Amino acid sequence: MPSLPRTTNELDIMTKEERPSRSQRNDFKWRLQCKILRSQMSDKHKPGESQQWSQSLETLLRSKSGKTTFQAFLKSEFSDENIEFWMICEDFKKIKCTSRLSSRAKKIFERYIQAEAPKEINIDHKTREHIKQNVQTPTRYCFEEAQKIVFSLMEKDSYPRFLRSDFYRTFLESVA
C-alpha cells in the first residue's frame, strides 16, 4: 500500500497505480485542512476561545478564527455558499460609495440570488423577487432579508452539524 503524499502536488504527480484510495485521499485532505487551519490560527487563536463557539452561532461568527474554522468545515461538506453570502453581506453593509454599492449589489445578486446562480442560496421566491427589485436601486440593506434567512438556516442546520463534527472535535484537540 502506498504511503500518503505529504502535499497536494505530490498527489497530483502520482500515477494512477500509485495513488491512494479515495478514503485515504479524503483522510489526507482532512489532515491537510486541519494542519492548514492550525497554522493559520496559531497566532490569532486565544486559549479557550474555541470552546465558546458552542454557545451560539453569533459567538462563533464574532470570532475571526471561529468564522474561518466554520467556513473550512462547510467547504469540506461542499456547502459554503451560505457563510460566504452572509460574510459578503456584512462587508456590503460597510460600503458608502453609491456607484460601488450598485455594482457590488449586481455581482452579489448574480452569484448568490438569481435562479441557477453559481452559489445559489436557499431562499423563497418572494424574497428572491423582492431582492431583484431592490438591486435596481440598492441600499446597504437590500440583502438583509435574505441574510436573515441564511443565518437562520445555518443556525438550525450547519451550526449544530459543525458542533457534532469530527472536524470541530479535532480542532478542539489540536488547540488544547
Side-chain angles (χ1 to χ4, degrees), residues 20-176:
S21 68
R22 178 177 292 275
S23 65
Q24 287 176 311
R25 286 195 312 263
N26 288 343
D27 183 53
F28 167 69
K29 182 180 172 189
W30 186 264
R31 288 191 325 230
L32 184 62
Q33 285 175 334
C34 288
K35 186 175 182 177
I36 290 167
L37 271 175
R38 279 194 301 271
S39 68
Q40 286 175 341
M41 310 238 201
S42 58
D43 298 330
K44 304 171 192 170
H45 193 74
K46 298 174 191 135
E49 180 182 4
S50 49
Q51 283 85 8
Q52 294 175 355
W53 299 345
S54 64
Q55 292 174 357
S56 68
L57 181 57
E58 291 94 348
T59 303
L60 173 73
L61 296 177
R62 273 194 303 267
S63 161
K64 189 171 184 174
S65 56
K67 206 180 324 179
T68 303
T69 306
F70 187 53
Q71 187 173 16
F73 166 73
L74 293 174
K75 278 185 182 183
S76 75
E77 292 195 331
F78 305 101
S79 63
D80 58 330
E81 66 280 347
N82 286 339
I83 187 71
E84 277 184 24
F85 175 75
W86 185 87
M87 291 181 347
I88 283 173
C89 287
E90 288 298 294
D91 290 340
F92 181 79
K93 290 176 191 177
K94 297 172 187 169
I95 298 174
K96 292 183 170 71
C97 175
T98 309
S99 63
R100 189 163 174 246
L101 195 72
S102 181
S103 68
R104 193 63 165 284
K106 287 180 175 95
K107 287 179 184 176
I108 293 171
F109 180 81
E110 290 168 359
R111 183 163 176 90
Y112 299 97
I113 306 296
Q114 76 182 7
E116 305 298 320
K119 293 269 194 164
E120 185 178 356
I121 57 170
N122 185 11
I123 56 174
D124 59 276
H125 179 72
K126 181 182 170 190
T127 303
R128 193 176 311 277
E129 287 302 311
H130 183 69
I131 291 171
K132 188 175 183 178
Q133 296 303 314
N134 287 345
V135 169
Q136 302 306 313
T137 53
T139 68
R140 293 184 346 204
Y141 302 99
C142 66
F143 297 107
E144 182 113 5
E145 191 176 343
Q147 190 182 17
K148 286 178 183 177
I149 291 168
V150 162
F151 183 88
S152 179
L153 289 171
M154 289 190 301
E155 190 173 44
K156 292 175 182 160
D157 181 43
S158 310
Y159 175 65
R161 244 185 12 257
F162 169 71
L163 294 177
R164 291 188 305 266
S165 72
D166 289 336
F167 192 93
Y168 180 54
R169 281 190 224 120
T170 303
F171 181 77
L172 285 175
E173 290 168 8
S174 72
V175 296

